[in-house]
Amino acid sequence: MPSGGTARPITRWGEPVMHRKLRPVTEYDADLETLVADMFATMYAADGAGLAANQIGVDLQVFVFDCTDGDNKRVAGVVCNPELTLPSTGDRNLDDSEEGCLSLPGAYTWCARPDWARVDGTDHTGAPVTYIGEGGTLARCLQHETDHLMGTVFGDRVPARARKKLYKQAEAIADDYPGDWPAVARITSAHDL
C-alpha cells in the first residue's frame, strides 16, 4: 500500500460529488498513487475503516479500506472501478448493525446490509483484486465504499426517520468536527481550544 500521504479535509454529505456516480479510473500513474496514499492518511487520521475518493472531493472510482473480516483478521486494500456482488435475495443473511460515515462524522444508526459481499476491481497499479467479506466489518465496508462511488450515502438506505436522526446527531456535534477535519485535530473539549 502507498504510504507517506497527507490527511485531507473530508467532504460532507450534501456536496454534489457525494451524490453522483464517479468517473472510472483509467490512468494508473503517480497521481493515482499519491491520491491513494492521501486517502489512507486521511482514513487513519479520522479513525475510519474505509474511505472513497469523493470523500476527499475527488471524482474517481477508488476506495481504500483497513478493517476486520468475520474471523477478526485485518484486511487492508485499494479498489478501483469496483464491481460489487451480493448474495441473491433468498440466500441473504442481513446484518442490522450500527453504521456511520466519515462524511457525516459522529452520527450512527442501524443499517441492514447482507453479511457477505464480494468486490472485484483493480488496485492502484492496475492489478486485478478481489475481496470477499464474510461477516464482520469487511462485508459492510465493501458495500458502504462501493455505494459512495455510485453516489449513494448510507443515509439513502435507511428510513426517513433514521435519516433525520442522523442529521440531528451530526448537527449537535458539528462544532467538534471543523470543516478541514481530519487535516486538523477534532475539537473534543473547551480545553482543546
Side-chain angles (χ1 to χ4, degrees):
M1 303 300 144
S3 59
T6 302
R8 298 190 196 182
I10 290 183
T11 304
R12 307 302 166 91
W13 289 8
E15 293 297 319
V17 73
M18 296 297 295
H19 304 281
R20 68 172 181 257
K21 185 174 180 178
L22 304 182
R23 292 182 304 113
V25 172
T26 57
E27 295 183 31
Y28 297 86
D29 55 13
D31 288 342
L32 181 60
E33 185 159 339
T34 298
L35 171 64
V36 168
D38 287 357
M39 289 172 67
F40 272 112
T42 303
M43 178 184 71
Y44 291 135
D47 198 25
L51 188 79
N54 55 347
Q55 291 185 273
I56 57 170
V58 177
D59 185 2
L60 275 180
Q61 289 185 20
V62 58
F63 71 82
V64 300
F65 65 95
D66 187 343
C67 56
T68 56
D69 65 9
D71 295 329
N72 287 323
K73 180 180 149 205
R74 188 172 161 202
V75 182
V78 178
V79 182
C80 300
N81 307 327
E83 292 184 23
L84 178 67
T85 303
L86 299 173
S88 61
T89 305
D91 295 329
R92 282 187 190 175
N93 292 317
L94 292 181
D95 172 11
D96 191 18
S97 295
E98 258 194 341
E99 191 164 326
C101 181
L102 296 176
S103 291
L104 194 70
Y108 300 88
T109 195
W110 306 103
C111 181
R113 290 192 186 263
D115 67 355
W116 184 94
R118 173 184 169 143
V119 167
D120 296 285
T122 59
D123 69 9
H124 59 287
T125 70
V129 294
T130 297
Y131 294 100
I132 298 174
E134 299 182 78
T137 305
L138 183 57
R140 180 173 296 277
C141 182
L142 295 174
Q143 294 170 72
H144 181 109
E145 300 309 330
T146 300
D147 273 357
H148 272 309
L149 304 183
M150 300 305 137
T152 300
V153 295
F154 92 92
D156 296 335
R157 296 198 173 274
V158 300
R161 176 182 258 177
R163 191 168 39 256
K164 281 178 84 172
K165 179 182 166 194
L166 275 170
Y167 281 113
K168 196 171 190 174
Q169 285 177 18
E171 188 178 305
I173 58 174
D175 290 344
D176 291 350
Y177 297 93
D180 51 0
W181 172 82
V184 298
R186 177 178 167 224
I187 300 169
T188 56
S189 73
H191 298 304
D192 293 339
L193 297 177

